Amino acid sequence: MAEKRFLTLADVGEVLNISSSQTYALVRSGELPAIQVGGRGQWRVEAHKLEEYISGAYERTAASIEKSGHQVGDGSRS
């Protein structure tokens, strides 16, 4: 089966491991581009837009870490 072009907000939330309300907030704020389709205006996110969002999140995180001078560790605490 071919990869889906459009994902539901539930699909996006599952990929990002976030709640449906957090996913909806990303879309409503414009941070994650999406379209509304159908008579009920259901939201859909293109798979490549989600990948762009994820790449951008990695870039923003790296810049934030570099700016703060912190280093990413293995998650253990001293």
Side-chain angles (χ1 to χ4, degrees), residues 2-71:
E3 186 177 327
K4 290 193 265 182
R5 178 176 178 182
F6 291 98
L7 304 170
T8 65
L9 294 189
D11 294 336
V12 172
E14 189 174 315
V15 170
L16 297 176
N17 196 28
I18 60 175
S19 71
S20 57
S21 60
Q22 289 172 310
T23 306
Y24 185 71
L26 285 173
V27 168
R28 293 291 292 174
S29 72
E31 192 173 345
L32 178 61
I35 60 170
Q36 284 187 288
V37 297
R40 294 176 32 202
Q42 296 182 348
W43 289 100
R44 295 294 183 266
V45 176
E46 280 193 272
H48 80 92
K49 292 290 186 185
L50 177 57
E51 292 304 320
E52 288 174 1
Y53 171 80
I54 292 169
S55 294
Y58 274 113
E59 291 171 9
R60 289 187 299 276
T61 300
S64 176
I65 290 168
E66 185 176 315
K67 182 179 177 183
S68 69
H70 291 101
Q71 295 201 3

